[in-house]
Amino acid sequence: MAQMPIELILARHWASYMAIPIWIYGPDGTLVFYNESAEALLARSFDEEGEINADELAELFDTTSLDGEPLEADELPIVRALAERVPAHLGLRIKRSDGKWLAIEATAFPIEGQGGRHLGAMSTFWEMSPP
Amino acid sequence: MVTLLGTRGSVGRAGPDTVRYGGDTSSISVLGSQGTWLVLDAGSGLLHLSPWVPPEVERIDILLTHLHMDHIQGLGFFPPLRDPDIETHIWGPASTTQRLQERLSRYLSPPLFPVRLRDLQNLSVHDVATDTFTIGEFEISSDLICHPGPTLGFRVVEDGKSLAYLPDHEPALGSIGLPGDPRWTSGFDLLNGADIAIHDAQYTPEEYDERRGWGHSTVEHAVALATQAGVGRLVTFHHDPEHSDDEIDRMLAAVDHGSLAVMPGQAGLELRL
């Protein structure tokens, strides 16, 4: 497989030092890296599992709006960042691998490299404080 | 024919203790079998090329890895750039907001330099990022590599023989261990299977610990990466201006390079692809 672009290599390096969950996606929606903080939500170790393609990823999580209504895929921040190449933010509910629902804020933004290259997107999220 | 014109990094240093490997900054001449002439970087070493440019030369292509001064300071003193009978092309990285022409003009204009880039008559400037292009008999690939600011490495191929040129490169910064997963290692594709690799090896391990993130490698890093990439011969490059020739010898002698052929970059050294 071809080498990753330098922007993603450095993003991964940076993410590996972050205490906040970071997911890094390639331009086709493949989750190419997630850091240790994100492993807690996925219940998967990146070192053991490696990359997760977009179809498999869609099967892993159930998501709803904060009031429990179903969400269309194209409403998700990461989908918007990848498809529309815009930053996006949304509060939503996500079902963790152990079945527990979490209310989270999710932010995603596209990774645009030198020379106008669309290289993917990056996403972070954090659990919302109880009201 | 590949000729090393300048091998020093950061700033030139002339003196009795840099005579063997050279005190001029980065520049390489690559002359193809059909007469196509490439120059890789335009540090002060470029001035050594001027006497060797024959009057019948019609075109020279200068490929810049990046615009730090030690890679461009020879441009203003290279006579072919001022010769309207020689077609000159400069290829190099744009930034996210400025084209290469604008970026170069910041140096080639007053008060830093008396002649303006736009006054050079037969010059074309090309933005390059991650590209593949042809110049004469050469197939050239460029890729962005780990060094502060937009920085390219080049792979130059003629008749299946390849030269990888990564003079300023810090693959250890972005890698989880070195050698690590090639897919996540800066510069790997440029180096992969290259017959000759000219690669940054500026620091000792102790210096690297103090200068992490400055964009350079140790000899150990260069050897590890070249070995993993199956390079034929590694030429260490971008010698630190604080290192004497003897220190460069000691740095190479201290590293176990296994079966990899390693030699220090030396001004005047000629290599055949």
Side-chain angles (χ1 to χ4, degrees):
Chain A
M1 284 197 282
Q3 178 205 309
M4 291 288 180
I6 186 62
E7 292 90 341
L8 292 194
I9 291 173
L10 291 174
R12 170 178 161 155
H13 192 60
W14 169 77
S16 69
Y17 280 90
M18 290 293 104
I20 56 173
I22 303 285
W23 296 6
I24 301 173
Y25 296 78
D28 64 351
T30 298
L31 181 59
V32 295
F33 180 72
Y34 47 96
N35 66 2
E36 203 173 317
S37 300
E39 287 177 354
L41 184 72
L42 277 170
R44 289 175 171 223
S45 153
F46 181 77
D47 288 336
E48 291 171 7
E49 299 292 338
E51 300 180 1
I52 303 174
N53 67 42
D55 291 338
E56 187 184 357
L57 200 58
E59 298 294 319
L60 281 177
F61 296 107
D62 284 334
T63 53
T64 71
S65 66
L66 288 174
D67 54 11
E69 295 299 316
L71 279 176
E72 296 295 329
D74 58 8
E75 294 179 83
L76 295 171
I78 188 59
V79 175
R80 293 194 61 204
L82 284 165
E84 301 173 39
R85 297 167 70 164
V86 295
H89 178 88
L90 188 68
L92 68 149
R93 294 170 74 241
I94 187 166
K95 191 177 178 183
R96 219 167 53 176
S97 55
D98 62 2
K100 183 182 177 186
W101 283 91
L102 299 177
I104 64 169
E105 304 255 17
T107 294
F109 58 89
I111 302 174
E112 304 285 327
Q114 294 282 319
R117 294 171 302 136
H118 178 50
L119 303 172
M122 192 181 298
S123 160
T124 185
F125 53 87
W126 53 99
E127 195 170 354
M128 294 172 77
S129 303
Chain B
M1 177 69 76
V2 179
T3 307
L4 277 59
L5 305 168
T7 61
R8 193 66 51 176
S10 305
V11 68
R13 179 183 163 192
D17 58 352
T18 61
V19 167
R20 273 190 294 132
Y21 297 130
D24 281 305
T25 62
S26 306
S27 193
I28 307 273
S29 163
V30 184
L31 186 58
S33 59
Q34 308 298 313
T36 296
W37 211 325
L38 304 181
V39 171
L40 307 179
D41 278 330
S44 63
L46 180 60
L47 275 68
H48 294 294
L49 185 62
S50 304
W52 300 102
V53 178
E56 64 270 21
V57 163
E58 295 177 351
R59 170 173 172 157
I60 294 179
D61 289 79
I62 301 171
L63 280 59
L64 301 176
T65 56
H66 62 306
L67 305 195
H68 288 165
M69 282 300 291
D70 53 324
H71 294 256
I72 63 169
Q73 62 199 155
L75 275 178
F77 305 94
F78 188 49
L81 269 176
R82 302 190 298 273
D83 186 340
D85 294 328
I86 299 179
E87 183 182 337
T88 311
H89 294 256
I90 298 178
W91 309 72
S95 76
T96 52
T97 59
Q98 289 189 312
R99 307 198 65 170
L100 177 60
Q101 172 101 20
E102 297 169 77
R103 301 183 73 210
L104 276 175
S105 293
R106 292 167 67 180
Y107 162 52
L108 287 168
S109 62
L112 294 180
F113 200 75
V115 178
R116 294 176 193 276
L117 188 69
R118 67 166 185 255
D119 293 334
L120 303 175
Q121 295 176 25
N122 203 356
L123 172 67
S124 300
V125 180
H126 309 270
D127 293 348
V128 180
T130 296
D131 293 300
T132 301
F133 50 102
T134 300
I135 301 174
E137 59 270 35
F138 295 113
E139 288 289 329
I140 299 163
S141 305
S142 62
D143 198 4
L144 291 153
I145 59 175
C146 188
H147 187 69
T151 301
L152 299 169
F154 292 107
R155 184 180 177 105
V156 179
V157 180
E158 181 187 8
D159 289 336
K161 298 291 186 184
S162 53
L163 165 70
Y165 178 65
L166 298 84
D168 292 49
H169 186 211
E170 188 180 3
L173 187 66
S175 298
I176 313 297
L178 193 69
D181 180 349
R183 193 159 170 249
W184 288 96
T185 301
S186 171
F188 186 85
D189 280 356
L190 292 173
L191 289 160
N192 194 12
D195 294 285
I196 299 173
I198 299 174
H199 193 281
D200 188 333
Q202 181 160 348
Y203 296 145
T204 65
E206 295 74 24
E207 289 167 339
Y208 182 74
D209 283 343
E210 296 172 357
R211 302 172 192 179
R212 200 177 296 266
W214 289 23
H216 299 291
S217 291
T218 64
V219 178
E220 286 83 350
H221 294 156
V223 166
L225 184 51
T227 300
Q228 184 183 33
V231 161
R233 179 188 302 181
L234 170 67
V235 179
T236 61
F237 198 73
H238 211 266
H239 305 310
D240 194 283
E242 294 181 9
H243 292 165
S244 67
D245 292 332
D246 290 344
E247 175 65 15
I248 292 169
D249 287 338
R250 283 192 290 273
M251 288 167 65
L252 260 68
V255 176
D256 176 8
H257 51 83
S259 59
L260 176 67
V262 183
M263 60 195 307
Q266 181 173 13
L269 177 69
E270 293 183 340
L271 301 164
R272 197 170 291 278
L273 273 177

